[in-house]
Amino acid sequence: MSKFYEKIAYRDVEEDIQSQKSVDKWIFWLLLIVIGFVPLIVMASVVEVQSPLVTNVSALTGGTKGDLFTHYKALTVLVITILAGIMFMAKVIFMNGEIRKTNLNYAVGAFAVIIVLSTIFSPNISIALHGQYNRSDGAISWLCYLALFFIAMNIEYPKKVLKYVLYALYPFVLINLYIITMNFYGNDLLQKAIVQKFVKAFLPAGANIGEGSILVGTLNQWNYMSGMFAIMTVLFLTAAVLEKHIGRAIGHLIIAIMSIAIMLMSVSTSGFLTVCVMMLVVLFIALRSEKKVQSLAMIAVFLVTTAPVFHMLANKDARVWTESIGFVVEWNPYVKEDPAPVVSLKSDIKFEWMTRAYADEKFNLPVLPERGWAAGSGRFYIWGKALEIVKERPVFGYGLDTFMYNFPHYAIDARAGLYDENTITDKPHNMYIYWLYGTGLAGLLCAILLVSMTLMNIITAIKCNNNMIISVLGISWVAYLIQAVFNDSLPGTSASMWAIAGIVVAITLKNKEQIDGRDN
């Protein structure tokens, strides 16, 4: 009789294990949708915005607003997070699944709690909850990112996990290469009837895309395109460097070259700086690889091939040089110098009465700041102002994605920082400042702790063994954190990268468990 019960118990354990594997497989496929499909969604939506301000400034007023890039991305991320969360909870509760024991669990939980508290105490609760209508990066989205990270960190993956992730991102690169190339050469796809018909599929009757709208890519704007495709560049280049199969290595190399072409056509410095920093890491990994000659050859081919691509693009638009090498070398060989205009001698004559005004009493007009840009295309001015307003709410901040409604617009010193005092600033252009502003010092500390712990896990794992999966996915996570110094978060970028971070952390923890098991 006892043997019978032993067989039943054994069969239950086996059944649980099989059920866990099945659930993990489905969750992994959901993560692949977040990684590869969500960044591709471009669908127009119309939402009703209730502005917390009483103003006649169109950017700050409420009413019916339209969005092309983020609403449906955020909605898809939310739906997938709920589905993955239900599956994961079922695995833990009914299938004897386990949550990995790591301090990262506490960091994730603490950051999530701070996000909830910052939203509750926000002066603009509804905005902090959902985010701006054209960004959708409020508390709901960030709780989804953290949930996806946590779930991804606690499931098992197939041996070919890296191939699945890389192949899921192939369409993202190929489609965006086509879109941005068309835009770069003056053929904006958003003006094509078939594209408009697809994009407007879910718009209510009578709603239309505004005049002047353009399609740079499947992400919102140049800066996001530049940052994200810098990540794609180092991701696929590292894959090419470490891939032993020469055919697959060449395929990854081609995608890396396509990615850097997209980054260059995005004419934004953030991506270029990220690639420059990360190339040192790629070189370090290549020198530690088993096939050093092949790895270094891949880097050499990448650099040699990128040179003519850069020349061709810069020859078409000199800003390609300005927003890349121009960050270091001011002189631009692609700018065609026009002959100096003939200036009348009279234009140099100045009269004292031109700078003075007279009424009953004599007084001087105020001296206005010279128009110009602060460092980082105005970013240093924005960051300085952000730090000033954070002093008023240092603990929990103002709530995520409410920056536009609390930033001091129309300040006279914006002439020297943003060139125009009438500029409306809707984001801080820095994810870390974004955390500080949105969740206060408490949130920033939790976020930095969480990020630091992921980096320590990745670095330790790479030192112990040159695992290709950890190196490739880990380097993309590092690139994301570097470009975040100059760029903001969005559902189309952050959801994918936090899912990837969860995968790489899961694999590092699994490797650590195996090493500890062998030692014991």
Side-chain angles (χ1 to χ4, degrees):
M1 194 69 174
S2 61
K3 289 183 179 180
F4 173 78
Y5 285 118
E6 285 176 6
K7 288 181 180 179
I8 294 295
Y10 176 76
R11 206 161 47 236
D12 288 344
V13 171
E14 283 295 314
E15 185 178 349
D16 283 343
I17 292 173
Q18 291 303 317
S19 298
Q20 289 173 26
K21 288 181 179 179
S22 178
V23 170
D24 285 350
K25 182 179 71 173
W26 281 105
I27 292 176
F28 178 50
W29 282 108
L30 290 174
L31 292 176
L32 288 179
I33 293 173
V34 171
I35 292 168
F37 176 70
V38 167
L40 287 172
I41 299 173
V42 179
M43 300 294 292
S45 67
V46 173
V47 294
E48 193 68 29
V49 178
Q50 293 183 345
S51 173
L53 302 177
V54 177
T55 176
N56 61 355
V57 179
S58 60
L60 300 174
T61 55
T64 303
K65 305 274 188 176
D67 166 65
L68 274 175
F69 298 99
T70 61
H71 177 76
Y72 286 106
K73 283 186 175 77
L75 184 60
T76 305
V77 169
L78 177 61
V79 171
I80 289 176
T81 303
I82 292 171
L83 291 175
I86 292 171
M87 290 182 186
F88 182 73
M89 291 301 295
K91 172 189 165 183
V92 172
I93 296 171
F94 302 112
M95 303 171 196
N96 203 29
E98 292 183 356
I99 295 174
R100 288 191 167 96
K101 295 179 180 179
T102 169
N103 291 331
L104 275 166
N105 295 333
Y106 302 108
V108 171
F111 192 27
V113 169
I114 296 299
I115 289 173
V116 172
L117 291 175
S118 71
T119 305
I120 292 172
F121 295 123
S122 171
N124 318 119
I125 295 178
S126 62
I127 302 295
L129 185 64
H130 301 284
Q132 292 179 35
Y133 72 93
N134 60 348
R135 288 172 45 80
S136 302
D137 203 52
I140 292 176
S141 290
W142 269 96
L143 291 174
C144 286
Y145 308 156
L146 293 178
L148 290 171
F149 172 80
F150 179 77
I151 293 168
M153 192 175 69
N154 285 287
I155 66 173
E156 301 294 331
Y157 294 95
K159 292 181 179 179
K160 295 182 179 180
V161 55
L162 181 59
K163 291 180 183 178
Y164 288 125
V165 171
L166 292 174
Y167 292 152
L169 287 167
Y170 266 45
F172 177 55
V173 175
L174 294 170
I175 291 171
N176 274 280
L177 177 65
Y178 177 66
I179 294 173
I180 199 169
T181 301
M182 293 292 287
N183 182 282
F184 191 77
Y185 285 94
N187 298 301
D188 181 33
L189 286 176
L190 199 57
Q191 310 312 316
K192 307 293 183 182
I194 188 170
V195 175
Q196 285 204 13
K197 186 176 181 181
F198 174 78
V199 169
K200 295 191 297 184
F202 295 110
L203 278 182
N208 260 310
I209 298 173
E211 292 184 13
S213 299
I214 61 172
L215 192 62
V216 178
T218 62
L219 303 178
N220 294 39
Q221 193 252 4
W222 306 102
N223 289 327
Y224 305 119
M225 291 288 292
S226 178
M228 191 60 174
F229 283 94
I231 299 169
M232 294 298 103
T233 299
V234 297
L235 170 70
F236 284 104
L237 180 58
T238 308
V241 164
L242 294 179
E243 177 60 63
K244 295 177 183 178
H245 188 279
I246 189 64
R248 286 194 292 268
I250 291 172
H252 298 330
L253 182 63
I254 292 171
I255 297 296
I257 294 167
M258 291 179 177
S259 297
I260 201 167
I262 298 171
M263 187 210 77
L264 291 170
M265 284 187 279
S266 299
V267 289
S268 175
T269 310
S270 61
F272 174 76
L273 294 178
T274 301
V275 170
C276 287
V277 173
M278 295 307 299
M279 282 302 294
L280 298 175
V281 183
V282 175
L283 182 60
F284 172 77
I285 290 175
L287 291 173
R288 295 183 71 244
S289 66
E290 293 180 15
K291 296 185 175 182
K292 291 184 178 60
V293 175
Q294 179 179 316
S295 298
L296 294 173
M298 286 293 168
I299 295 176
V301 172
F302 172 78
L303 294 174
V304 170
T305 308
T306 299
V309 172
F310 177 87
H311 172 71
M312 180 180 65
L313 297 176
N315 200 43
K316 174 67 174 65
D317 189 338
R319 291 179 303 161
V320 171
W321 173 286
T322 304
E323 297 295 336
S324 55
I325 297 175
F327 182 80
V328 181
V329 181
E330 187 174 348
W331 175 68
N332 189 337
Y334 294 95
V335 172
K336 298 175 182 178
E337 296 184 3
D338 296 324
V342 178
V343 180
S344 171
L345 292 176
K346 293 181 181 180
S347 63
D348 293 331
I349 300 175
K350 295 181 179 179
F351 296 97
E352 185 181 353
W353 56 265
M354 288 183 177
T355 60
R356 298 179 181 273
Y358 297 90
D360 291 338
E361 294 183 6
K362 187 176 178 181
F363 65 94
N364 291 328
L365 290 173
V367 178
L368 297 177
E370 289 290 332
R371 292 193 185 277
W373 292 95
S377 301
R379 283 175 172 81
F380 275 62
Y381 171 81
I382 296 172
W383 298 345
K385 290 291 184 183
L387 293 176
E388 287 179 16
I389 59 178
V390 165
K391 292 177 183 177
E392 298 177 14
R393 300 177 66 90
V395 181
F396 293 119
Y398 291 79
L400 293 168
D401 215 11
T402 62
F403 197 75
M404 182 169 69
Y405 299 102
N406 295 288
F407 187 83
H409 306 293
Y410 302 111
I412 196 63
D413 57 348
R415 289 170 60 94
L418 299 174
Y419 197 81
D420 187 355
E421 64 273 24
N422 297 309
T423 301
I424 299 296
T425 304
D426 61 346
K427 52 191 177 292
H429 295 280
N430 180 305
M431 189 170 72
Y432 306 98
I433 298 290
Y434 176 78
W435 286 339
L436 176 61
Y437 163 85
T439 61
L441 287 170
L444 178 65
L445 291 175
C446 288
I448 294 297
L449 178 63
L450 172 56
V451 166
S452 300
M453 291 170 72
T454 62
L455 292 177
M456 288 303 297
N457 274 284
I458 292 168
I459 293 169
T460 303
I462 292 175
K463 281 184 178 179
C464 293
N465 56 73
N466 208 15
N467 185 296
M468 182 178 175
I469 301 173
I470 297 172
S471 296
V472 174
L473 298 184
I475 203 172
S476 69
W477 175 242
V478 176
Y480 168 75
L481 297 176
I482 290 175
Q483 64 85 39
V485 174
F486 311 100
N487 286 326
D488 304 279
S489 163
L490 282 177
T493 57
S494 289
S496 299
M497 295 313 303
W498 280 89
I500 287 175
I503 294 173
V504 70
V505 168
I507 294 168
T508 60
L509 293 175
K510 182 72 173 178
N511 281 4
K512 186 175 182 296
E513 290 169 6
Q514 291 173 347
I515 293 170
D516 292 343
R518 286 197 297 268
D519 292 341
N520 294 331

